[in-house]
Amino acid sequence: MDAARDAWRRYQRTGEIRADLLRAPILRAWRRCHLAGTQPSAMEARRLAPDELRERIERRAQLVTAARPYLRALSVAATGERHAAMLADRDGVVLDLAGDDVTLHDTLGFPVRGSILSEAVAGANGVGTTLIEDRYFELVGAEHFIEGFQEYTCQGSPVRGALSTPAGALSISVRRAEAAARVREILICAARGIQAELTSQKISADILRLARARPGDAATFDKLREDLVQIHAAARLRLDSAARAARKDRPAEVMTLIDAADRLVRKFEIIAAQFRQIAGSEESAPVAVELRSRLVEMVSLLGTEAAVRRLRLLVRPGPEVWIVIGPHELSRALFRTFLAAMERRPPGSSVEVEVCVDWPLGVATWAFSPPSPEVALRCPLRLSPVPGAGA
């Protein structure tokens, strides 16, 4: 990173940011730092007072608890390197760390719990810049704005809460740039895993609320919660295995495990989104929705319930059919009608569902075989093309 080093020295001397010497995202970050008056010669980040830190950690206890196993996995992946994995809240305050003893305890100026790594305070870095850019971000050496961080390659990935709201950032700092590639995918997957953990916590709380408000559905909702817990646990196990494989420098094995974890996390996210729509009572604005894919998602959501009843749920093949409806209303209608159809079938049988379209009337619905008396919604067709959908 000789160009970045040259850019930093020039900035120190003249206050000029040389655009031709910096990568575009780093240039954006440096310009923000310049406007904020960040001091490039600083050797360490400012810290909260102990009482402020204690109060902040108490307020963010759910986030800290959810992130702890992922911090450990990230640190395991970097074992053998000088490193530190960090969890920060949405203000850029470091809440927790994991790493080797020398980096955490014997490195002058290295961030600790309570360090403020917001970009305005600590310059371009793996926490503050990640939070502003709201995406994975990497800085190598002199690309850091303040001098004290320039020995490290830092990577960060945003962490979101149970409702996809910004919660903080997960970051790792390593001494060797080569080591950063070893942990990159694990970092990104771990950040999504933390969101899944926070979502799982919220759904567990929602189950208790639903059990009181809708006792007739409580057992089914509890099975859905168990499904989510199991899927999330399976994803975390694969991430832990990927971290151990990374430590042993087995990149092909790491990617296989990360891909498996990502697929499980994606499945978790789909089921969790469905659950939130079913469990809520609020209405949602009508949007274009592909009906058959929603039927497939509902079959996945009710997989455990069907297994308990010894039923097979099947969606018949068919073309894409786009409708216009509020997603929450659709989820609740699908859930109600699927349960009604399952209720009427004996163990060992199948329940098939398909999309039915009445083109002259411009509406679509879904129907079960064998038929169920529960009435499905008649949804207006989306006849004009859906952007990006090809239909």
Side-chain angles (χ1 to χ4, degrees), residues 281-338:
S281 57
E282 68 277 11
E283 297 303 320
S284 52
V287 296
V289 178
E290 204 287 297
L291 181 55
R292 187 175 180 279
S293 64
R294 293 302 297 269
L295 296 177
V296 171
E297 289 174 6
M298 188 58 62
V299 166
S300 178
L301 184 73
L302 292 171
T304 298
E305 179 72 18
V308 169
R309 296 172 184 251
R310 293 196 295 125
L311 296 173
R312 285 201 316 147
L313 288 180
L314 303 169
V315 179
R316 287 180 178 170
E320 287 187 349
V321 174
W322 290 82
I323 59 175
V324 178
I325 191 171
H328 293 193
E329 182 185 7
L330 176 60
S331 292
R332 288 192 284 267
L334 287 171
F335 184 73
R336 183 186 69 249
T337 55
F338 266 77

Side-chain angles (χ1 to χ4, degrees), residues 51-89:
D51 287 348
E52 289 181 277
L53 174 61
R54 197 160 37 246
E55 190 268 339
R56 185 173 289 249
I57 288 177
E58 286 175 1
R59 287 203 321 266
R60 308 280 196 261
Q62 272 192 320
L63 174 61
V64 173
T65 301
R68 194 154 285 153
Y70 296 96
L71 272 177
R72 284 199 300 267
L74 198 49
S75 181
V76 166
T79 297
E81 301 285 342
R82 293 279 301 279
H83 73 280
M86 290 177 278
L87 171 74
D89 66 12

